[in-house]
Amino acid sequence: MTSTGIRLHAPEPGWNISADVVVVGSGVAGLTAALRCEAAGLRTVVVTKARLDDGSTRWAQGGIAAALGDGDTPEQHLDDTLVAGAGLCDEEAVRILVTEGPDAVRRLIETGAHFDESEEGGLELTREGGHHRRRIAHAGGDATGAEISRALVEAVRARGLRTVENALVLDLLTDAEGRTAGVTLHVMGEGQHDGVGAVRAPAVVLATGGMGQVFSATTNPSVSTGDGVALALRAGAEVSDLEFVQFHPTVLFLGADAEGQQPLVSEAVRGEGAHLVDADGVRFMVGQHELAELAPRDIVAKGIMRRMQEQDAEHMFLDARHFGAQMWEHRFPTILAACRAHGIDPVTEPVPVAPAAHYASGGVRTDSRGRTTVPGLYACGEVACTGVHGANRLASNSLLEGLVYAERIVADIAASRTDEALHARVPAPVERPERPAHPLLAPEARFAIQRIMTDGAGVLRSAASLERAADQLQRLHTEARDALDENGKTAEPGVDTWEATNLLCVARVLVAAALLREETRGCHWREDHADRDDAGWRRHIVVRLNPDRTLAVHTTDTADFPPTRQHHQEQ
């Protein structure tokens, strides 16, 4: 692997920090990695795009899945995960998740996270889609992510970890040998640092979250613009499975023209007995799957979309009036408040819901220790593709994956630091090219990209819709490239232009992969190829960026991931 040499157009770094490890992101994956690095004696810097407690983790409602209940086993959790992943999970990665998961949750509790308890004093566990057992631990009823974020942020601050907030990561720094040498970043607003700077470190952990903002309507916060995946691509890393975007079946419907972050109605509401119904009150999921409303998310999302098509409706309904006011207020206070804020009272009326972009099952390709195809660059959480989720993430496995793989990354970094020569090594980044290699898009391109992706690469896809999307995205890419090539001009560097450029990068990869995968599998639904094709497509699509900014796309031989690097050898 060699670096592409592509970097975002940005000013030279005006300040530098040195560290052993820089962690980019402050969700469950990033802060877990940072805390474990600090405990291992590694000088650690946390860089996060907004405040420490912003990002996707705090929006997680349902909970964290692990085999913690009586009679449950990791093997049963593995089986449910493999079924949800529709034949594309890497079984070794899933086995690591489910066997190491319970202890990882216990360590999270030791860190200070408080989960809801039953009257007997044990964890109160619930069910969600695709799970055959109650194994979802939750906090504050439906505020699990907020509690996990609170506990981890408090631990980070208590231990005095160095943090750089309100900082958008720009690009990976590499040395002459192609190894990681740190990151460049731009700090927004007031603080100890301002403007573009760099954190020099031989290990970088990407935990930047997802890319939901590539679509018009999403459950993701505004910061989820695919920055980590775009950075990794420019650095020469491989990404995989980006076509598998999970659309959450039950997102509060705010109108056909609603854009940006939409309120989520947790799957746990269905886990506690809510029913999906059409305008006539008919439970349309009954008979479509043995678990009805608790089928895996792709099946429920498809069931909703089919019913909407049949009835020419803009949404379906989630009916939980039978819960009563007390259960709504105790178990789902966050969702209750969100619904009422939009003029809907779930206690007395069904809640209008429709699918919206929720989670990226694919991302930067890693091995079982979180290592990417770039030496020294690691990834965990939603930005990563570990092979755990396959074609469709099982509900509440995301927080667990962030925990487990963050710990495995730190174990690998700590082991490599025992080599004294490596520990003493201070990476010297290669000088930036004189001429910017990557043009920037104007801020308004963000909305154009979102409309293109929603129309052409949303829940329902076809060759025609994807080809149209690919052409439109290519036009944006070409216009920006030609402007730079002809007169050296590009949009003014800034957060809006960097984010728009990152969104275009990940959108092009997503559409290329979705167009190539001529089948319906998991959360990838091709109307023109309605069946799953194990003979032709039980394999992964891997993409990397060429130095000329074209995409190199290939498929793996099997559903198992090949090693991330042939020379990733034991130290």
Side-chain angles (χ1 to χ4, degrees):
M1 193 286 306
T2 56
S3 174
T4 66
I6 302 172
R7 293 180 181 173
L8 289 174
H9 180 37
E12 291 293 322
W15 49 270
N16 286 275
I17 300 173
S18 293
D20 293 322
V21 184
V22 55
V23 177
V24 187
S26 60
V28 62
L31 294 189
T32 298
L35 288 167
R36 300 294 182 266
C37 281
E38 187 267 345
L42 298 165
R43 292 176 304 148
T44 305
V45 174
V46 178
V47 173
T48 188
K49 193 172 179 180
R51 298 187 308 273
L52 277 183
D53 60 353
D54 280 335
S56 294
T57 290
R58 76 182 182 97
W59 296 100
Q61 294 174 347
I64 185 166
L68 295 162
D70 292 341
D72 198 4
T73 65
E75 199 67 27
Q76 293 176 67
H77 189 183
L78 179 135
D79 289 343
D80 286 345
T81 300
L82 294 180
V83 169
L88 273 190
C89 295
D90 183 284
E91 188 165 338
E92 179 199 1
V94 179
R95 195 169 296 280
I96 288 169
L97 179 83
V98 299
T99 55
E100 298 182 11
D103 282 344
V105 173
R106 295 182 185 103
R107 283 188 289 273
L108 179 61
I109 293 171
E110 291 170 1
T111 302
H114 302 292
F115 291 93
D116 296 336
E117 296 183 348
S118 65
E119 293 180 358
E120 294 76 27
L123 287 176
E124 184 179 64
L125 303 175
T126 190
R127 276 183 69 195
E128 291 186 359
H131 293 272
H132 282 80
R133 284 190 174 272
R134 286 183 170 265
R135 66 167 66 97
I136 317 299
H138 49 84
D142 58 357
T144 309
E147 170 57 18
I148 290 173
S149 181
R150 178 206 63 78
L152 291 173
V153 169
E154 284 189 7
V156 163
R157 288 178 173 152
R159 296 178 194 179
L161 268 72
R162 188 166 190 174
T163 61
V164 183
E165 296 181 275
N166 301 305
L168 171 64
V169 67
L170 299 176
D171 280 303
L172 189 75
L173 294 172
T174 54
D175 64 16
E177 299 173 356
R179 290 189 58 86
T180 293
V183 293
T184 55
L185 61 154
H186 173 79
V187 180
M188 303 164 271
E190 297 180 0
Q192 184 179 357
H193 303 285
D194 199 8
V196 175
V199 182
R200 297 265 302 276
V204 171
V205 180
L206 290 180
T208 52
M211 59 184 75
Q213 289 292 326
V214 78
F215 295 96
S216 296
T218 177
T219 63
N220 288 193
S222 61
V223 295
S224 297
T225 51
D227 308 316
V229 171
L231 173 150
L233 282 163
R234 289 192 295 272
E238 293 181 348
V239 303
S240 185
D241 298 0
L242 233 58
E243 68 272 31
F244 295 115
V245 177
Q246 187 176 83
F247 288 79
H248 198 289
T250 53
V251 176
L252 186 61
F253 181 75
L254 301 180
D257 297 326
E259 294 183 340
Q261 186 177 9
Q262 312 289 303
L264 177 66
V265 182
S266 170
E267 199 153 298
V269 177
R270 282 175 279 137
E272 295 293 348
H275 301 144
L276 279 167
V277 298
D278 60 20
D280 297 321
V282 176
R283 287 183 63 190
F284 55 87
M285 285 304 299
V286 174
Q288 292 198 35
H289 190 276
E290 60 168 338
L291 296 176
E293 286 93 351
L294 284 176
R297 288 178 178 175
D298 61 310
I299 293 171
V300 179
K302 290 171 187 175
I304 292 173
M305 293 299 296
R306 286 195 186 100
R307 198 67 159 191
M308 287 166 55
Q309 288 178 322
E310 290 168 4
Q311 300 187 343
D312 194 24
E314 292 183 322
H315 61 82
M316 289 289 109
F317 293 93
L318 190 64
D319 190 353
R321 290 175 290 179
H322 56 285
F323 284 6
Q326 184 175 357
M327 181 172 174
W328 267 109
E329 291 165 3
H330 169 72
R331 182 67 179 84
F332 301 111
T334 307
I335 299 169
L336 178 64
C339 289
R340 286 177 170 171
H342 291 283
I344 300 155
D345 190 348
V347 177
T348 60
E349 59 186 317
V351 178
V353 293
H358 181 56
Y359 189 88
S361 292
V364 185
R365 190 169 77 81
T366 74
D367 65 8
S368 62
R369 286 183 272 181
R371 299 178 298 195
T372 73
T373 51
V374 176
L377 179 65
Y378 297 81
C380 59
E382 191 173 355
V383 70
C385 185
T386 62
V388 159
H389 303 309
N392 185 45
R393 174 178 67 93
L394 180 65
S396 289
N397 267 356
S398 51
L399 292 174
L400 189 70
E401 183 196 31
L403 273 182
V404 169
Y405 280 87
E407 292 186 345
R408 293 182 70 82
I409 284 172
V410 176
D412 190 73
I413 295 174
S416 70
R417 297 306 97 167
T418 60
D419 184 326
E420 292 184 7
L422 189 59
H423 183 70
R425 173 180 168 274
V426 177
V430 173
E431 293 298 318
R432 290 170 57 90
E434 291 183 9
R435 190 165 180 265
H438 203 303
L440 300 179
L441 273 68
E444 56 268 23
R446 175 177 185 145
F447 304 104
I449 294 164
Q450 290 172 335
R451 287 191 293 271
I452 291 167
M453 293 299 289
T454 298
D455 292 342
V459 180
L460 302 177
R461 302 168 177 175
S462 66
S465 75
L466 290 165
E467 286 170 356
R468 183 172 63 250
D471 289 344
Q472 293 169 331
L473 294 172
Q474 183 61 37
R475 191 174 305 123
L476 291 174
H477 176 76
T478 301
E479 288 172 356
R481 181 199 64 198
D482 290 349
L484 182 64
D485 290 345
E486 290 173 8
N487 53 35
K489 291 184 178 180
T490 185
E492 190 69 22
V495 174
D496 289 345
T497 56
W498 288 320
E499 286 185 334
T501 304
N502 285 338
L503 283 172
L504 179 60
C505 179
V506 298
R508 290 176 64 218
V509 175
L510 194 162
V511 169
L515 190 54
L516 181 61
R517 184 175 289 280
E518 295 182 331
E519 66 161 353
T520 290
R521 182 188 297 271
C523 51
H524 171 67
W525 187 2
R526 286 283 297 263
E527 293 181 284
D528 52 337
H529 294 279
D531 298 322
R532 172 170 154 176
D533 177 8
D534 279 349
W537 286 107
R538 192 164 178 260
R539 59 190 67 202
H540 303 275
I541 296 174
V542 178
V543 184
R544 58 180 174 78
L545 192 62
N546 291 321
D548 63 357
R549 300 192 293 275
T550 59
L551 301 178
V553 184
H554 74 272
T555 59
T556 60
D557 294 330
T558 68
D560 295 329
F561 275 158
T564 51
R565 282 188 65 79
Q566 293 182 6
H567 63 270
H568 256 334
Q569 299 171 351
E570 301 301 325
Q571 299 292 333

